[in-house]
Amino acid sequence: MRIGLGYDVHRLVKDRDLILGGVKIDHTLGLLGHSDADVLIHAIMDALLGASALGDIGKHFPDTDPKYKGISSIKLLEAVGKLLYDNGFTIGNIDSTIIAQKPKMAPHIQIMRENISNALNINIDQINIKATTEEKLGFTGEELGISSQAICLLL
């Protein structure tokens, strides 16, 4: 068994879509990044790559490579899932948290879980997503950015 931990954060800006867990969420601000800046998927990918000792998302999908400009993070997650499979790993479970003051995440969590389940070809009951605010404290509480944390177990 191996355990991995992932973390990601991106700044909120105007004129960008807010994509979390592969879901486009209606909001006045979106996340700034080279790809679609999906902090939830990025944290999950880093947890999976860390547990497998296969590096991190920067190693596999550098933000200096134009082929990843604007790419869906779900596509990157599919590639990570294949890399794990090719290296003999099986995902036990993934537990994650989105940290954002706004918007509310609860209406979107089931679809996020489905997207991750499909991308990794695992059962939806192996994926948990929670959301919390920081009670208007710090950069997430002041709505300057959104962050996410993830932990996983590989078998």
Side-chain angles (χ1 to χ4, degrees):
M1 288 191 298
R2 293 174 177 228
I3 298 170
L5 177 67
Y7 174 80
D8 196 41
V9 60
H10 283 275
R11 178 183 308 272
L12 282 165
V13 296
K14 292 183 179 184
D15 301 320
R16 286 275 298 197
D17 289 334
L18 178 59
I19 309 290
L20 291 167
V23 177
K24 183 177 175 184
I25 298 171
D26 188 35
H27 192 52
T28 57
L29 302 172
L31 294 169
L32 181 63
H34 185 69
S35 66
D36 62 6
D38 187 329
V39 293
L40 174 61
I41 299 298
H42 293 184
I44 289 170
M45 288 191 299
D46 265 346
L48 294 168
L49 289 167
S52 61
L54 292 171
D56 61 21
I57 60 174
K59 174 184 173 182
H60 294 276
F61 315 107
D63 63 6
T64 55
D65 191 330
K67 73 180 173 186
Y68 300 120
K69 178 76 173 158
I71 194 168
S72 166
S73 293
I74 289 289
K75 295 274 187 215
L76 303 179
L77 183 61
E78 289 171 353
V80 168
K82 182 178 181 335
L83 185 63
L84 292 175
Y85 178 80
D86 289 348
N87 281 273
F89 292 102
T90 301
I91 298 170
N93 76 303
I94 298 168
D95 187 25
S96 58
T97 304
I98 302 167
I99 302 131
Q101 193 63 39
K102 290 182 185 171
K104 293 289 185 190
M105 299 295 154
H108 311 288
I109 286 177
Q110 185 63 23
I111 298 169
M112 292 177 189
R113 291 176 68 217
E114 290 170 9
N115 290 342
I116 295 163
S117 169
N118 291 333
L120 293 172
N121 198 26
I122 61 176
N123 292 326
I124 197 166
D125 65 359
Q126 293 173 269
I127 303 157
N128 190 52
I129 301 171
K130 306 174 296 296
T132 190
T133 70
E134 289 192 301
E135 302 296 331
K136 300 188 180 190
L137 298 172
F139 71 90
T140 57
E142 294 174 11
E143 298 178 56
L144 299 174
I146 293 177
S147 66
S148 186
Q149 299 173 358
I151 191 165
C152 72
L153 176 69
L154 296 185
L155 308 170

